[in-house]
Amino acid sequence: MPDAPIAALPPTVAWHGDLDGHLQLLDQTSLPHDCAVLRLDTAAAVADAIRRLAVRGAPAIGVAAAYGLVLGVRAAAPPPGGFLAAVRAAAAALAAARPTAINLQWALDRCVAAAQAEPTLERLLAEARAIHEEDVAACRRIGEHGHHLVPPDGTVLTHCNTGRLATTGDGTALAVLFAAWRAGVRFRVLVGETRPLLQGARLTALELAAAGIPVQVACDGAVAGLVARGDVQLALVGADRVAQNGDFANKVGTYPIALACAAHSVPFFVAAPRSSFDPCLADGAAIPIEERDANEVLELGGRRLAVAGVAARNPAFDLTPGRLVRGFVTDRGLLLPPFPAAIKALCGSGR
Ligand code: MRU
């Protein structure tokens, strides 16, 4: 192409209609070169879209799953008394689509609680819409709380995609960058390509270029060397699940960035909404790390890279210890160490 500017793209997640409506997702697997839209009418189709990353990014999959639950319960046409059982069954199926991002389970838990209070489809749809609206607002507040961190004339390193495609608002880490840019701060962004599915090269570069923010893509393996050379003044990434002590899971390749930043005294910050914090986990050891199909590593554009018979490892996320994090930019403010107390207060401040 010249690829479509992001502002011209359809929304990442949209519900069309009322109780008889359907879910529309922007198919991210074909970006940036093609812009395909999915019209989904079943919970199974939503779970499939989440599994194959047609919709991706921790907050966005939470919102999509909440709408998927409406579709699942509607199709089940549960008898009066069986409504909650249908909600729980559909929620369990959707939650199984991807294990690492807590936002998925968090959104479904909220919908189940809403259905317990009022077992109607109307209430489920209202909860999904509330989760959606709150996500947009949370992204805006993350930008407000973090934009002052961006160094004027500096280079910000980010990873994967944490923007308008990963959320239903401006993003998490990218919301901070968009807010700084709107406030008149000028800077450059370096983004790791994010092997194997290239969210950095395909999606983040698209979003930043569309906003007019200078962006360069680097091979993931080049990033530590660029940090060591003094080419990065701030690293800012998202999170899929943050434990009580600040350990967090994010896209594979985040941990090496944190190590390089620690070794070279570059500030390393994480941007994430309250819904990405898991109040049940004391530390990151128990965060489930998704292992995806080996062919994502062994093939590129449908062409085999390694000879037949060679195996691969494909963890989609890695775990970064909280001690490497300078601070968390959340929708409720900036959290600084010691993290256990700050995160406990965040999680206790409501949903
Ligand atoms: O596998 P993905 O593309 O869903 O991974 C996304 C990330 O790792 C993001 O950094 C994370 O969800 C936080 S962004 C809002």
Side-chain angles (χ1 to χ4, degrees):
M1 322 195 19
D3 303 295
I6 195 88
L9 290 176
T12 300
V13 178
W15 178 264
H16 287 287
D18 205 352
L19 286 180
D20 58 349
H22 67 271
L23 181 63
Q24 179 189 295
L25 298 177
L26 172 59
D27 185 351
Q28 300 189 32
T29 60
S30 52
L31 288 174
H33 297 298
D34 293 305
C35 176
V37 163
L38 305 172
R39 181 200 156 111
L40 306 181
D41 293 306
T42 67
V46 176
D48 180 61
I50 292 171
R51 214 174 285 117
R52 60 189 186 81
L53 274 54
V55 60
R56 46 146 300 281
I61 63 175
V63 175
Y67 287 123
L69 190 58
V70 175
L71 296 172
V73 175
R74 186 177 75 188
F83 190 87
L84 267 182
V87 170
R88 289 201 182 97
L94 283 157
R98 292 191 80 186
T100 302
I102 187 66
N103 309 62
L104 180 60
Q105 188 69 57
W106 172 89
L108 292 165
D109 285 348
R110 262 186 68 165
C111 294
V112 172
Q116 275 166 339
E118 186 191 321
T120 65
L121 204 57
E122 287 84 347
R123 184 70 189 83
L124 268 187
L125 180 57
E127 194 64 19
R129 285 183 161 139
I131 289 168
H132 191 166
E133 279 167 25
E134 288 170 31
D135 182 48
V136 175
C139 292
R140 193 186 62 247
R141 286 196 296 267
I142 287 173
E144 288 165 2
H145 290 303
H147 70 89
H148 66 279
L149 296 170
V150 177
D153 297 322
T155 295
V156 182
L157 170 62
T158 191
H159 190 58
C160 193
N161 173 264
T162 63
R164 293 166 180 154
L165 295 164
T167 64
T168 57
D170 257 5
T172 58
L174 289 199
V176 170
L177 303 186
F178 291 134
W181 193 261
R182 280 195 300 270
V185 182
R186 291 297 171 256
F187 55 91
R188 293 164 297 284
V189 179
L190 180 68
V191 57
E193 60 175 348
T194 320
R195 278 277 294 155
L197 297 179
L198 305 176
Q199 290 93 329
R202 293 188 302 111
L203 308 178
T204 297
L206 169 66
E207 289 200 42
L208 292 171
I213 301 176
V215 55
Q216 291 177 312
V217 178
C219 298
D220 297 332
V223 165
L226 293 171
V227 170
R229 278 166 45 164
D231 288 357
V232 171
Q233 283 68 53
L234 168 72
L236 185 59
V237 299
D240 285 79
R241 191 185 299 223
V242 187
Q244 289 253 338
N245 69 343
D247 295 353
F248 74 101
N250 191 47
K251 178 53 58 191
V252 67
T254 300
Y255 178 46
I257 292 175
L259 286 173
C261 288
H264 299 282
S265 304
V266 172
F268 177 88
F269 282 83
V270 179
R274 156 68 189 89
S275 54
S276 297
F277 288 76
D278 187 341
C280 299
L281 293 186
D283 58 43
I287 297 179
I289 300 294
E290 178 183 9
E291 284 268 352
R292 294 184 61 84
D293 193 314
N295 284 332
E296 289 179 351
V297 174
L298 293 171
E299 293 176 0
L300 198 58
R303 195 187 155 100
R304 181 92 183 175
L305 296 173
V307 291
V310 171
R313 290 292 308 273
N314 189 14
F317 301 93
D318 60 22
L319 191 66
T320 298
R323 66 184 150 73
L324 299 181
V325 179
R326 199 66 75 85
F328 289 89
V329 185
T330 79
D331 50 322
R332 320 271 168 100
L334 185 61
L335 308 188
L336 297 172
F339 292 130
I343 292 175
K344 194 169 178 200
L346 173 79
C347 292
S349 69
R351 62 194 191 190

